mmCIF file of all heavy atoms in Angstrom:
data_model
loop_
_atom_site.group_PDB
_atom_site.id
_atom_site.type_symbol
_atom_site.label_atom_id
_atom_site.label_comp_id
_atom_site.label_asym_id
_atom_site.label_seq_id
_atom_site.Cartn_x
_atom_site.Cartn_y
_atom_site.Cartn_z
ATOM 1 N N GLN A 198 108.316 91.983 63.903
ATOM 2 C CA GLN A 198 107.679 91.862 65.147
ATOM 3 C C GLN A 198 108.064 93.059 66.106
ATOM 4 O O GLN A 198 107.188 93.563 66.832
ATOM 5 C CB GLN A 198 108.025 90.507 65.818
ATOM 6 C CG GLN A 198 107.231 90.198 67.165
ATOM 7 C CD GLN A 198 108.192 90.328 68.308
ATOM 8 O OE1 GLN A 198 109.420 90.474 68.181
ATOM 9 N NE2 GLN A 198 107.638 90.202 69.496
ATOM 10 N N GLN A 199 109.331 93.421 66.180
ATOM 11 C CA GLN A 199 109.820 94.434 67.017
ATOM 12 C C GLN A 199 109.140 95.868 66.630
ATOM 13 O O GLN A 199 108.714 96.579 67.438
ATOM 14 C CB GLN A 199 111.297 94.591 66.896
ATOM 15 C CG GLN A 199 112.089 93.355 67.603
ATOM 16 C CD GLN A 199 113.539 93.416 67.371
ATOM 17 O OE1 GLN A 199 114.058 94.144 66.445
ATOM 18 N NE2 GLN A 199 114.299 92.532 68.164
ATOM 19 N N LYS A 200 109.051 96.032 65.257
ATOM 20 C CA LYS A 200 108.505 97.304 64.807
ATOM 21 C C LYS A 200 107.088 97.293 65.072
ATOM 22 O O LYS A 200 106.552 98.403 65.569
ATOM 23 C CB LYS A 200 108.784 97.448 63.326
ATOM 24 C CG LYS A 200 110.238 97.617 63.030
ATOM 25 C CD LYS A 200 110.439 97.824 61.425
ATOM 26 C CE LYS A 200 111.935 97.930 61.182
ATOM 27 N NZ LYS A 200 112.143 97.975 59.677
ATOM 28 N N VAL A 201 106.286 96.284 64.823
ATOM 29 C CA VAL A 201 104.922 96.248 65.019
ATOM 30 C C VAL A 201 104.589 96.428 66.517
ATOM 31 O O VAL A 201 103.610 97.126 66.923
ATOM 32 C CB VAL A 201 104.266 94.989 64.428
ATOM 33 C CG1 VAL A 201 102.748 94.904 64.876
ATOM 34 C CG2 VAL A 201 104.371 94.951 63.050
ATOM 35 N N ALA A 202 105.366 95.754 67.415
ATOM 36 C CA ALA A 202 105.087 95.810 68.830
ATOM 37 C C ALA A 202 105.263 97.215 69.353
ATOM 38 O O ALA A 202 104.484 97.766 70.099
ATOM 39 C CB ALA A 202 106.036 94.900 69.526
ATOM 40 N N ASN A 203 106.229 97.956 68.878
ATOM 41 C CA ASN A 203 106.440 99.381 69.190
ATOM 42 C C ASN A 203 105.334 100.264 68.745
ATOM 43 O O ASN A 203 104.899 101.211 69.387
ATOM 44 C CB ASN A 203 107.839 99.857 68.641
ATOM 45 C CG ASN A 203 108.955 99.234 69.365
ATOM 46 O OD1 ASN A 203 108.918 98.708 70.556
ATOM 47 N ND2 ASN A 203 110.106 99.134 68.651
ATOM 48 N N ILE A 204 104.898 99.996 67.435
ATOM 49 C CA ILE A 204 103.751 100.827 66.887
ATOM 50 C C ILE A 204 102.494 100.550 67.687
ATOM 51 O O ILE A 204 101.709 101.566 67.902
ATOM 52 C CB ILE A 204 103.621 100.550 65.344
ATOM 53 C CG1 ILE A 204 104.877 100.987 64.663
ATOM 54 C CG2 ILE A 204 102.382 101.279 64.874
ATOM 55 C CD1 ILE A 204 104.889 100.584 63.213
ATOM 56 N N SER A 205 102.180 99.374 68.049
ATOM 57 C CA SER A 205 100.946 98.964 68.622
ATOM 58 C C SER A 205 100.765 99.663 70.060
ATOM 59 O O SER A 205 99.746 99.980 70.479
ATOM 60 C CB SER A 205 100.770 97.477 68.829
ATOM 61 O OG SER A 205 101.850 97.083 69.739
ATOM 62 N N LYS A 206 101.882 99.977 70.691
ATOM 63 C CA LYS A 206 101.856 100.719 71.937
ATOM 64 C C LYS A 206 101.349 102.108 71.820
ATOM 65 O O LYS A 206 100.807 102.656 72.703
ATOM 66 C CB LYS A 206 103.240 100.623 72.590
ATOM 67 C CG LYS A 206 103.748 99.262 73.020
ATOM 68 C CD LYS A 206 105.095 99.330 73.609
ATOM 69 C CE LYS A 206 105.625 97.948 74.089
ATOM 70 N NZ LYS A 206 107.044 97.986 74.509
ATOM 71 N N SER A 207 101.538 102.553 70.637
ATOM 72 C CA SER A 207 101.054 104.001 70.385
ATOM 73 C C SER A 207 99.638 104.066 69.905
ATOM 74 O O SER A 207 98.912 105.014 70.238
ATOM 75 C CB SER A 207 101.977 104.616 69.290
ATOM 76 O OG SER A 207 103.330 104.605 69.656
ATOM 77 N N ILE A 208 99.164 103.128 69.148
ATOM 78 C CA ILE A 208 97.861 103.166 68.677
ATOM 79 C C ILE A 208 96.754 102.455 69.490
ATOM 80 O O ILE A 208 95.572 102.685 69.315
ATOM 81 C CB ILE A 208 97.726 102.582 67.193
ATOM 82 C CG1 ILE A 208 98.155 101.099 67.153
ATOM 83 C CG2 ILE A 208 98.632 103.371 66.297
ATOM 84 C CD1 ILE A 208 98.073 100.479 65.798
ATOM 85 N N ILE A 220 101.671 90.428 70.439
ATOM 86 C CA ILE A 220 102.318 90.183 69.161
ATOM 87 C C ILE A 220 103.571 89.289 69.401
ATOM 88 O O ILE A 220 104.581 89.664 70.013
ATOM 89 C CB ILE A 220 102.815 91.578 68.488
ATOM 90 C CG1 ILE A 220 101.574 92.433 68.261
ATOM 91 C CG2 ILE A 220 103.527 91.257 67.203
ATOM 92 C CD1 ILE A 220 101.917 93.817 67.927
#
Side-chain angles (χ1 to χ4, degrees):
Q198 184 251 356
Q199 292 173 345
K200 293 178 181 178
V201 172
N203 292 332
I204 295 173
S205 65
K206 292 177 183 178
S207 301
I208 61 177
I220 301 171

